[in-house]
Amino acid sequence: MKLVLDTHTHTVASAHAYSTVTEMAGAAGEKGLELLAITDHGPALEDSSSKVHFMNYHILPREMFGVRMLYGAELNILDFDGNVDLEEKILKRLDICIASFHTMCTTPGSIEENTAAYLKAMENPYVSIIGHPEDGYVPIDFEALVKTAKEKKVLIELNNSSIKSAYYRLNTRENMIRLLNLCKKYEVNISVGTDAHFSASVGSFDEALGILEEVDFPEELVANTSVEKFLKLLEERKSFRK
């Protein structure tokens, strides 16, 4: 399976990342990617940029090093009502939004509370992808997540960094296998993101590809195999906007 786009990456605008937009795009070009999404952390994470950063994306080029560029955010889910840390007037200007639960921003609750946080975040029509939902420190009802993702046409993320090196997350591999099997069962599309915080990690999907092969995941449900497929899925999700 060949993946031609990376849907989850961070630049120096997320201060615990270490590469610029230009460096990330250059790495994507060297890896032969066709599309790269820049998704810096939302402002609720303490070392992230202010709202102005996301409002100013329009100055950036739409293609760099032969790679189509999308500019968005990894939003922080702030509470069990699924609220996120950028308001609609900014969200509508972004190409792509991932909604993730970060324990540094929000203290996890019960399985029911955590699940409600994700499901309500998916009611936000600007959320395209649910980020790294396999973290065992934030236990959720995986079946409810996948069923709602299908209903709302939201992509479930397979996060390469979670499998490779995320010591701050729990039982990521086992949980991701459970999620992928549920996505197979209910025919839910997934998005593979490196969660790269340094240019060398852009487009490095080895761990994710290994799990996809292990569970015999159908290629047609992987959004990253075609730019056209991915953009079509984003458009389908936009149909939920008023």
Side-chain angles (χ1 to χ4, degrees), residues 158-230:
L158 170 53
N159 187 297
N160 195 80
S161 291
S162 285
I163 308 162
K164 182 177 182 180
S165 60
Y167 61 88
Y168 42 83
R169 297 176 191 152
L170 180 68
N171 295 334
T172 55
R173 196 173 195 284
E174 300 92 327
N175 288 340
M176 198 66 244
I177 288 172
R178 288 179 60 199
L179 271 167
L180 288 173
N181 281 322
L182 285 166
C183 288
K184 277 177 60 176
K185 178 179 178 180
Y186 293 108
E187 298 183 327
V188 172
N189 291 289
I190 70 163
S191 173
V192 186
T194 60
D195 203 353
H197 284 63
F198 181 60
S199 58
S201 299
V202 171
S204 296
F205 301 112
D206 291 352
E207 284 75 15
L209 286 170
I211 281 190
L212 290 173
E213 183 177 357
E214 181 178 338
V215 302
D216 193 26
F217 197 81
E219 184 171 333
E220 60 268 23
L221 294 178
V222 180
N224 305 64
T225 58
S226 161
V227 171
E228 292 73 22
K229 179 199 296 186
F230 180 66

Side-chain angles (χ1 to χ4, degrees), residues 26-51:
E30 290 176 1
K31 293 281 182 68
L33 294 184
E34 298 175 18
L35 182 147
L36 177 67
I38 300 294
T39 53
D40 281 308
H41 287 287
L45 205 63
E46 63 182 14
D47 70 343
S48 294
S49 295
S50 71
K51 297 176 182 179

